[in-house]
Amino acid sequence: SRNYTFGGYLAQGKTIPEVHQLMEETAEGYRTIKFAKRIVSAAEIDAPMISTLYQIAYEGIQVKKALIELIQNPLSIDVDFL
């Protein structure tokens, strides 16, 4: 799928402009990330996964750095047992 290919390219370290050049069509998920970020921001909720995907796709943060920050996010604590 286009989303899988898009994510694969990002995981390889390619930039968004490079990915756009390699793909004939834009992955649906690319636009969806922006829309989801708007919803999260408007609702004033903390959604680390959406924020991280947005940073990767629209702000150019490196995937490895973004994943480390996501894993270290204090909200990643399992709340089922609290």
Side-chain angles (χ1 to χ4, degrees):
S1 79
R2 289 189 302 266
N3 287 324
Y4 180 83
T5 303
F6 179 80
Y9 284 142
L10 289 177
Q12 292 172 15
K14 296 196 183 324
T15 64
I16 294 297
E18 290 172 330
V19 173
H20 285 308
Q21 286 183 336
L22 291 167
M23 296 182 68
E24 292 181 23
E25 296 181 45
T26 302
E28 315 77 53
Y30 179 70
R31 288 187 217 105
T32 303
I33 292 167
K34 192 173 194 176
F35 184 66
K37 177 68 170 156
R38 285 183 182 168
I39 292 171
V40 165
S41 296
E44 296 181 359
I45 58 175
D46 195 7
M49 183 67 76
I50 298 297
S51 296
T52 300
L53 290 170
Y54 185 86
Q55 289 175 327
I56 293 168
Y58 289 95
E59 296 175 356
I61 190 172
Q62 292 290 321
V63 173
K64 184 175 181 177
K65 181 178 190 246
L67 289 176
I68 290 169
E69 289 178 8
L70 182 63
I71 291 168
Q72 294 175 343
N73 186 310
L75 293 177
S76 67
I77 297 170
D78 190 348
V79 295
D80 291 340
F81 302 105
L82 297 178

